[in-house]
């Protein structure tokens, strides 16, 4: 850790922060619905409405629960329309499908590679806390060649709860052996800001979100500006 660095560790949100959300997930979620419904149009429409997916455009609206909720929560929302039980086996089925479908399209956010490289070179510890499944996150990280950057990856199914609760963030910090006062959480949603506050870490809002910016400790326009803030 270089002298004068502001933070010893950064916990990253994944989707919308490290990964470009829509290129990675829009088509993948549409394919998930087609697989789960067997192309039954009526059931597909009902499941899409329950989850907040726009079938007409094949996109995930920015205010959809898909953006921030855990896949376990999304399964609970869709299960009645699909005629399925919302149990652990169904959640695991959906997580597995989403993981495989997203790998064909996983897209990093602009500046992600250079930001991660700069922080790693400076000795900053890094982790991921995501409401996606841990396995999906690990597959995506490996596909992008980022495996060496992260000392911990925690998902909704890792046993530490989901954001906006503090459990995921604190689990990452235990793995990194860093105190909350010396850590930051970089994310793009209200859930990330609330999780940072609950865990006692500094919140860094990444992206242009004027409605959220007043509630963040720091805000940067993109990942390219993150290393300067983190390293002080």
């Amino acid at each position: 850790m270089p002298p004068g660095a502001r933070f010893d560790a950064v916990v990253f949100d994944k989707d919308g922060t490290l990964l470009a959300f829509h290129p990675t997930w829009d088509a993948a979620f549409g394919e998930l619905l087609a697989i789960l419904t067997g192309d039954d149009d009526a059931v597909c429409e009902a499941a899409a409405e329950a989850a907040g997916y726009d079938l007409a455009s094949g996109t995930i609206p920015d205010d959809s629960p898909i953006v921030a909720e855990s896949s376990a929560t999304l399964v609970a929302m869709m299960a009645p329309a699909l005629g399925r039980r919302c149990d652990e086996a169904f959640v695991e089925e959906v997580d597995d499908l989403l993981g495989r479908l997203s790998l064909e399209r996983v897209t990093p956010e602009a500046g992600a590679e250079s930001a991660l490289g700069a922080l790693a070179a400076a000795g900053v510890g890094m982790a991921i806390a995501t409401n996606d499944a841990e396995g999906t996150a690990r597959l995506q990280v490996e596909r992008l060649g980022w495996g060496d950057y992260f000392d911990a990856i925690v998902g909704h199914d890792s046993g530490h709860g989901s954001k906006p609760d503090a459990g995921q963030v604190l689990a990452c910090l235990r793995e990194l052996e860093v105190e909350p006062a010396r850590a930051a959480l970089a994310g793009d949603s209200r859930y990330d800001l609330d999780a940072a506050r609950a865990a006692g870490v500094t919140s860094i809002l990444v992206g242009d979100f004027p409605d959220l910016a007043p509630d963040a400790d720091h805000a940067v326009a993109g990942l390219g500006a993150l290393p300067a803030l983190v390293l002080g």
Side-chain angles (χ1 to χ4, degrees):
M1 189 59 166
R6 183 172 295 181
F7 300 109
D8 295 324
V10 178
V11 179
F12 286 90
D13 168 58
K14 179 172 68 71
D15 297 312
T17 302
L18 289 173
L19 301 186
F21 184 86
H22 293 290
T24 299
W25 289 112
D26 279 354
F29 203 88
E31 289 187 13
L32 170 75
L33 289 171
I35 292 169
L36 292 177
T37 62
D39 290 319
D40 183 315
D41 289 344
V43 176
C44 191
E45 288 176 7
E49 182 177 1
Y53 183 79
D54 189 337
L55 279 175
S57 63
T59 61
I60 300 169
D62 289 337
D63 60 353
S64 167
I66 301 169
V67 174
E69 293 288 356
S70 71
S71 46
T73 298
L74 295 174
V75 167
M77 296 169 68
M78 293 189 296
L82 295 168
R84 298 284 298 271
R85 290 180 56 197
C86 180
D87 55 19
E88 186 176 343
F90 190 25
V91 174
E92 290 179 355
E93 177 185 344
V94 169
D95 279 338
D96 179 66
L97 284 168
L98 284 173
R100 291 190 286 109
L101 292 170
S102 71
L103 281 187
E104 301 174 13
R105 303 173 178 84
V106 60
T107 304
E109 281 283 8
E113 179 68 41
S114 60
L116 294 173
L119 293 175
V124 175
M126 290 183 284
I128 291 174
T130 175
N131 279 352
D132 199 359
E134 178 183 333
T136 296
R138 290 187 180 278
L139 287 172
Q140 292 171 334
V141 163
E142 292 298 330
R143 174 60 63 92
L144 293 170
W146 292 352
D148 290 340
Y149 289 139
F150 299 104
D151 294 307
I153 296 177
V154 174
H156 78 85
D157 54 350
S158 301
H160 307 290
S162 299
K163 294 177 292 184
D165 293 337
Q168 289 189 356
V169 179
L170 294 175
C172 289
L173 296 185
R174 287 193 295 271
E175 190 70 23
L176 293 167
E177 298 183 343
V178 172
E179 293 298 318
R182 294 294 300 159
L185 172 62
D188 70 318
S189 75
R190 171 68 61 189
Y191 278 15
D192 296 317
L193 300 184
D194 289 347
R197 185 175 298 108
V201 306
T202 297
S203 61
I204 302 175
L205 183 67
V206 181
D208 183 18
F209 303 101
D211 291 344
L212 295 178
D215 296 325
D217 295 313
H218 301 279
V220 293
L223 289 170
L226 187 65
L229 174 62
V230 171
L231 299 176

